[in-house]
Amino acid sequence: MGRNQNSELGKLIRGEGGSLWPTRLERRILKFSLDTFGEMLSQFLLTGIGRKKVGQRWYLAISFTSESRSLWKRQVQVITYEPLDGESFLPQGRDPLVLLALLLLLLHKPHAEKPVLSYTHEEVLQLLGWDDSEGVRHEIDEAIHRYSLLMYLWEKSQDELAGINHSHYKARERMISEYETTDREVGAHGEIKRIANRLIFNDYFIRGLLQRTLFDVDWNKARSVKLVTAPKRKR
């Protein structure tokens, strides 16, 4: 699929604003995503970018062309921890940029045991070009915490099932299997210092990203990725 120069992603990479005004290094991260995962899959990974307020769960509608050239749709529900006070734990703001930086580190670290990533705040800050402060480090930790809680629920449509002679198919996937941080007291005043960060990505999910087959969609043939309202429950 050709690149849409007028898409939000294309505008972000060119530094033309959109949901936020990315810096040169942030634009480089976005270009990495486009080159590695393609436009439609990158749009999926960027869900929530620039938003200051999001709901408690997402419903994504993915339109794609099947092998028979029929237009199919994949509905993906993205769920996470849902506090009773209505607060959202879904990614927002600059969170997707943190995710892309982590994926870049995962795929480019020499001798890394994929999909396990040990990283430092300094590495993420350097890739994104963000100022180093306690608040920004907390922002990075919060972004990773939110992604570690995400779960993706999806199923195949009746048209797809009929083509493979199945009556039912549902799946539940996670991007991150484990997330570990280790702090230690240092100095005479007991200052707390982060000494280790470790992420274990879901291998099946990462392979789906790299092969552009996530959620059993050929993302090279994807036509659109949209946030939609919650479907009405059947009585």
Side-chain angles (χ1 to χ4, degrees):
M1 171 174 285
R3 297 177 178 178
N4 183 357
Q5 297 296 321
N6 294 319
S7 68
E8 182 177 9
L9 177 58
K11 292 178 180 178
L12 287 172
I13 291 175
R14 294 195 303 273
E16 296 178 0
S19 54
L20 51 80
W21 291 89
T23 65
R24 179 179 61 84
L25 290 179
E26 290 170 346
R27 288 160 57 192
R28 184 180 295 178
I29 291 287
L30 292 166
K31 182 65 163 51
F32 149 77
S33 180
L34 180 62
D35 292 342
T36 306
F37 309 119
E39 183 174 349
M40 291 292 106
L41 201 43
S42 292
Q43 287 188 23
F44 160 74
L45 292 172
L46 289 170
T47 304
I49 192 168
R51 292 174 177 259
K52 296 181 179 180
K53 185 177 180 180
V54 293
Q56 287 196 313
R57 59 178 59 187
W58 283 327
Y59 296 88
L60 292 167
I62 305 162
S63 298
F64 62 102
T65 305
S66 68
E67 292 183 1
S68 62
R69 297 186 179 181
S70 299
L71 184 62
W72 285 351
K73 287 190 177 181
R74 175 80 73 246
Q75 296 249 351
V76 179
Q77 185 179 173
V78 186
I79 65 174
T80 184
Y81 173 58
E82 298 179 359
L84 294 177
D85 62 4
E87 182 182 354
S88 177
F89 271 70
L90 289 172
Q92 56 187 288
R94 301 194 296 180
D95 293 348
L97 295 174
V98 175
L99 173 63
L100 295 184
L102 293 170
L103 290 173
L104 190 152
L105 287 172
L106 177 71
L107 299 178
H108 289 87
K109 264 200 167 183
H111 312 298
E113 182 186 350
K114 297 178 181 179
V116 179
L117 174 66
S118 295
Y119 66 94
T120 65
H121 282 128
E122 288 81 4
E123 288 176 304
V124 179
L125 290 166
Q126 184 176 15
L127 281 174
L128 294 171
W130 292 356
D131 293 334
D132 190 352
S133 69
E134 183 177 345
V136 173
R137 289 182 178 229
H138 179 70
E139 181 182 354
I140 291 171
D141 285 344
E142 284 296 298
I144 297 168
H145 179 60
R146 281 190 277 270
Y147 280 108
S148 72
L149 294 174
L150 293 187
M151 186 173 294
Y152 305 88
L153 311 178
W154 61 277
E155 56 187 87
K156 292 187 177 181
S157 67
Q158 291 302 313
D159 290 338
E160 289 181 86
L161 293 171
I164 55 178
N165 198 28
H166 290 172
S167 61
H168 170 85
Y169 185 95
K170 287 188 177 181
R172 177 178 298 182
E173 300 183 28
R174 298 185 72 95
M175 180 188 303
I176 297 173
S177 302
E178 295 182 36
Y179 170 41
E180 305 169 3
T181 60
T182 306
D183 295 342
R184 181 175 63 190
E185 287 189 7
V186 296
H189 301 289
E191 178 186 354
I192 302 299
K193 181 179 181 181
R194 177 65 51 81
I195 61 172
N197 301 284
R198 186 168 179 263
L199 274 172
I200 301 178
F201 287 89
N202 182 297
D203 184 56
Y204 186 79
F205 197 98
I206 295 300
R207 281 191 281 115
L209 284 177
L210 292 174
Q211 296 170 5
R212 303 186 185 183
T213 58
L214 194 65
F215 310 133
D216 202 23
V217 170
D218 182 348
W219 287 84
N220 292 317
K221 297 180 180 179
R223 304 280 293 275
S224 66
V225 184
K226 297 179 180 179
L227 279 173
V228 296
T229 56
K232 294 181 180 180
R233 292 184 178 180
K234 296 180 180 179
R235 293 182 179 180

